[in-house]
């Protein structure tokens, strides 16, 4: 009698367990899942990509193989958003069917970065003067004013002239020495000071050593690429004219010389 009761109790437990398993299987059969893989344009796995299911705010990250798996989903249409730093985010619409797993493949494209930097500033007075003198000249000329020369770390006139277009510097032990205009030899460039031809201090050469001319002594530089009728024809490469500084009267009656104002020592410039 005891044995028969024990068998009946065991049968009841077995029946209950089967009923629970049947209910679970039936419930899981009414659910679906989403499986996918995230990769770059070359097919490489993207590890740690963020996957968001917009309908229920479920989120996860891809594994070491770039794969992800979302289960226990009600049948219906879901939107999967996949994002990765440095890549363009992607959205996929996935239809989940009961008892099935939907596969999603996301290949993300590299995001392009467009940076725009806008810098505004007033044009320096020296540059304005240069542009106006170049535009109003009868020949092709380049002008370098003292304001621009002083605004840059120029040790001598060779360094200053080397900053102009189509002008190069012939260096000696790293120090600028001779000036070349339009790629021609330094001996083919004529040098004048206030319009007066300057001979070379060296015997047997025509070129001038510009490293011996301090940049602070020059008011402006005019490089003529094409010569005018009033210029000598000995400047095949070009003609460099150094305009020296002269004293000029200021508004308060003083004099400005070499960038400094002297109220009691003004003299009229030579005629």
């Amino acid at each position: 009698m005891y044995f028969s009761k024990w068998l009946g109790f065991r049968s009841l437990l077995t029946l209950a367990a089967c009923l629970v398993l049947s209910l679970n299987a039936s419930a899981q059969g009414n659910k679906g899942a989403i499986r996918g893989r995230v990769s770059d344009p070359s097919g490489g796995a993207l590890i740690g990509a963020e996957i968001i299911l917009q309908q229920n705010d479920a989120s996860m990250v891809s594994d070491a193989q770039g794969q992800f798996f979302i289960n226990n989903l009600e049948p219906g249409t879901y939107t999967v958003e996949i994002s990765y730093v440095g890549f363009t985010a992607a959205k996929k619409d996935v239809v989940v069917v009961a008892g099935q797993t939907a596969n999603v493949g996301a290949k993300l494209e590299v995001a392009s970065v467009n940076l725009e930097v806008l810098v505004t500033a007033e044009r320096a007075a020296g540059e304005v003067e240069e542009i106006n003198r170049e535009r109003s000249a009868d020949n092709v000329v380049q002008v370098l004013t003292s304001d621009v020369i002083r605004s840059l770390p120029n040790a001598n006139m060779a360094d200053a002239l080397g900053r102009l277009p189509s002008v190069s510097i012939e260096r000696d032990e790293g120090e600028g020495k001779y000036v070349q205009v339009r790629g021609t030899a330094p001996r083919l460039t004529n040098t004048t000071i206030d319009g007066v031809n300057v001979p070379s201090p060296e015997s047997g050469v025509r070129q001038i050593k510009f490293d011996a001319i301090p940049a602070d002594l020059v008011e402006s530089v005019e490089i003529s690429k094409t010569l005018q009728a009033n210029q000598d024809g000995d400047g095949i490469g070009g003609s460099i004219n150094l305009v020296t500084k002269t004293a000029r009267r200021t508004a308060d009656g003083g004099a400005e010389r070499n960038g400094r104002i002297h109220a009691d020592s003004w003299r009229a410039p030579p005629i």
Side-chain angles (χ1 to χ4, degrees):
M1 182 177 181
Y2 175 77
F3 182 73
S4 60
K5 289 182 178 181
W6 182 80
L7 289 177
F9 180 72
R10 183 176 179 182
S11 300
L12 183 61
L13 290 177
T14 303
L15 180 62
C18 292
L19 182 60
V20 171
L21 293 176
S22 177
L23 292 175
N24 290 337
S26 177
Q28 292 179 359
N30 295 329
K31 302 285 185 176
I34 298 176
R35 185 189 303 275
R37 184 177 185 271
V38 186
S39 61
D40 57 14
S42 62
L46 294 180
I47 304 172
E50 184 179 11
I51 297 94
I52 299 177
L53 201 61
Q54 294 185 350
Q55 278 69 13
N56 56 5
D57 294 333
S59 62
M60 61 177 54
V61 295
S62 57
D63 58 14
Q65 286 75 36
Q67 299 178 352
F68 64 91
F69 181 74
I70 306 174
N71 59 356
N72 198 25
L73 297 176
E74 295 290 341
T77 302
Y78 293 86
T79 301
V80 180
E81 183 177 358
I82 305 171
S83 60
Y84 193 87
V85 177
F87 289 77
T88 304
K91 289 185 179 181
K92 299 285 186 178
D93 293 331
V94 183
V95 178
V96 177
V97 181
Q100 297 182 9
T101 300
N103 292 319
V104 177
K107 183 175 290 187
L108 304 184
E109 299 293 335
V110 178
S112 60
V113 179
N114 296 323
L115 299 178
E116 181 178 354
V117 179
L118 179 63
V119 179
T120 59
E122 296 182 357
R123 183 182 292 272
E127 296 181 1
V128 173
E129 180 182 353
E130 292 176 0
I131 294 174
N132 286 315
R133 290 172 62 178
E134 291 174 1
R135 291 181 59 185
S136 60
D138 295 331
N139 60 336
V140 180
V141 64
Q142 285 182 311
V143 180
L144 183 66
T145 60
S146 59
D147 292 339
V148 179
I149 294 174
R150 290 197 302 266
S151 65
L152 299 172
N154 298 312
N156 48 57
M157 284 308 302
D159 293 338
L161 292 174
R163 302 182 187 276
L164 291 175
S166 73
V167 177
S168 57
I169 301 298
E170 183 177 311
R171 300 184 179 274
D172 184 11
E173 297 181 356
E175 184 74 17
K177 189 175 182 181
Y178 300 120
V179 174
Q180 297 175 303
V181 180
R182 296 188 298 178
T184 58
R187 61 184 177 84
L188 300 179
T189 300
N190 183 33
T191 303
T192 61
I193 297 180
D194 294 329
V196 179
N197 284 323
V198 179
S200 174
E202 302 176 90
S203 61
V205 296
R206 295 185 65 243
Q207 56 266 29
I208 303 298
K209 286 186 176 181
F210 284 90
D211 59 344
I213 304 176
D216 293 336
L217 298 182
V218 178
E219 178 67 24
S220 64
V221 181
E222 300 171 349
I223 300 181
S224 298
K225 302 294 185 62
T226 58
L227 301 181
Q228 298 184 16
N230 60 349
Q231 294 178 327
D232 295 334
D234 55 353
I236 299 176
S239 179
I240 302 175
N241 183 36
L242 304 179
V243 181
T244 59
K245 292 185 178 181
T246 57
R248 57 180 180 267
R249 185 177 295 277
T250 60
D252 59 355
E256 182 181 358
R257 185 172 67 246
N258 295 341
R260 297 182 180 179
I261 295 177
H262 304 269
D264 56 352
S265 62
W266 181 82
R267 294 181 181 179
I271 298 177

